[in-house]
Amino acid sequence: MDGVDVPYNPRTVEEVFRDFKGRRAALIKALTIDVDEFYQQCDPEKENLCLYGLPSEQWEVNLPAEEVPPELPEPALGINFARDGMQEKDWLSLVAVHSDAWLLSVAFYFGARFGFDKADRKRLFNMINDLPTIFEAVTGLAKKQGKEKSVSNNSSTKAKSNSKRGSEPQTKYSKPMAIQMQSNEDDEDGLGADEEDDEEEHGDASCGACGESYATDEFWICCDICEKWFHGKCVKITPARAEHIKQYKCPACSKRART
């Protein structure tokens, strides 16, 4: 089809990656910003339709190419037939998964056509893999993973500056990290028994907001009033914000203080 013909043949890793990013942006736009228009165009009464992403960051729903084999790999065929047979969010997620597969096939089609060696293919894949997938962007997983990564990194940084848990007010903010540092200090001082007591005391602690048990890869904060522990995400406190809190009050204690 005329719409999907690229105006150039990307021959280098950088050019193929630029082509990939343009098509990816187009597909994400179709499945998020322009989702109403995309939904309307996928009429189940029409023939087999495909969703195409163009290097120009434009998308279109159209019939597949007539020539066999086509100039480029073709996207999933007949996405319109499933539109009314499943929940909209599930249908969009399914189209997103197939779109991810199509993007990779197009990128590595160019790589094979222009003789990318092992090093070039690996570099291209790493560049692609650094971007969230279309599925992650459409379902919101990309934002969630970005937040979790940020909290994890901030918690690790904070752990380096914390001393023994409980010796300073700020050490209450990241419970898992504080316990780890307590363990390191006790090992140096020969206080292994204290470490075991501390783990026994807090190993079964649960979040005062959601009730889930603590995990060592999560950021936690303790209320100075009721001394309950909370997931940072449950009380909307980040490690960076916790650095500047002299006395933390959980939502319940803050509410009681105002009444």
Side-chain angles (χ1 to χ4, degrees):
M1 56 181 291
D2 296 337
V4 295
D5 288 340
V6 293
Y8 67 96
N9 282 327
R11 296 174 179 270
T12 67
V13 171
E14 287 72 23
E15 288 176 342
V16 172
F17 183 58
R18 186 163 60 248
D19 180 273
F20 175 92
K21 288 198 300 182
R23 297 178 188 275
R24 173 181 172 275
L27 295 171
I28 291 176
K29 183 179 180 183
L31 297 172
T32 56
I33 299 174
D34 297 342
V35 65
D36 291 337
E37 181 182 352
F38 169 65
Y39 188 88
Q40 292 173 1
Q41 289 191 27
C42 292
D43 186 349
E45 298 299 322
K46 295 183 179 180
E47 298 182 50
N48 290 288
L49 294 175
C50 301
L51 172 61
Y52 293 90
L54 310 181
S56 60
E57 300 188 9
Q58 299 300 311
W59 62 272
E60 65 179 18
V61 172
N62 215 322
L63 297 171
E66 294 182 1
E67 67 268 21
V68 179
E71 175 64 21
L72 292 175
E74 286 289 307
L77 183 67
I79 58 171
N80 51 313
F81 295 147
R83 192 196 72 176
D84 295 340
M86 55 199 307
Q87 297 237 346
E88 181 177 344
K89 65 177 183 178
D90 294 331
W91 176 67
L92 292 174
S93 296
L94 181 63
V95 175
V97 169
H98 283 290
S99 297
D100 280 318
W102 178 66
L103 282 182
L104 283 174
S105 67
V106 171
F108 282 88
Y109 164 83
F110 285 127
R113 181 174 177 178
F114 296 111
F116 287 7
D117 59 19
K118 181 178 180 179
D120 285 339
R121 293 194 302 271
K122 183 176 181 180
R123 188 156 64 93
L124 175 60
F125 178 78
N126 287 338
M127 293 167 72
I128 290 173
N129 202 39
D130 282 339
L131 297 174
T133 64
I134 296 176
F135 175 78
E136 290 171 340
V138 170
T139 59
L141 288 176
K143 292 182 179 179
K144 180 179 179 182
Q145 291 171 356
K147 290 180 180 178
E148 289 177 349
K149 183 177 180 181
S150 175
V151 169
S152 177
N153 290 339
N154 288 336
S155 296
S156 298
T157 301
K158 182 170 180 59
K160 296 178 182 179
S161 62
N162 280 347
S163 58
K164 283 190 176 181
R165 185 182 59 81
S167 61
E168 295 293 339
Q170 66 267 26
T171 61
K172 69 180 183 299
Y173 295 133
S174 183
K175 175 181 174 183
M177 294 298 103
I179 290 177
Q180 180 180 355
M181 294 209 60
Q182 175 76 40
S183 173
N184 293 338
E185 291 177 357
D186 287 348
D187 286 344
E188 294 175 359
D189 297 336
L191 300 178
D194 290 343
E195 173 193 353
E196 293 178 1
D197 292 341
D198 188 66
E199 289 182 354
E200 289 178 2
E201 179 184 354
H202 299 90
D204 59 350
S206 58
C207 174
C210 69
E212 293 185 4
S213 298
Y214 106 88
T216 56
D217 60 348
E218 294 179 313
F219 168 71
W220 282 56
I221 187 169
C222 180
C223 176
D224 283 309
I225 307 302
C226 65
E227 297 186 350
K228 290 182 180 179
W229 287 96
F230 297 87
H231 287 113
K233 62 184 179 182
C234 290
V235 292
K236 299 181 180 180
I237 299 293
T238 64
R241 183 179 174 186
E243 291 281 359
H244 303 286
I245 299 177
K246 293 182 179 180
Q247 184 184 54
Y248 174 67
K249 293 181 181 180
C250 68
C253 290
S254 295
K255 185 176 180 180
R256 281 195 292 268
R258 290 194 296 269
T259 57

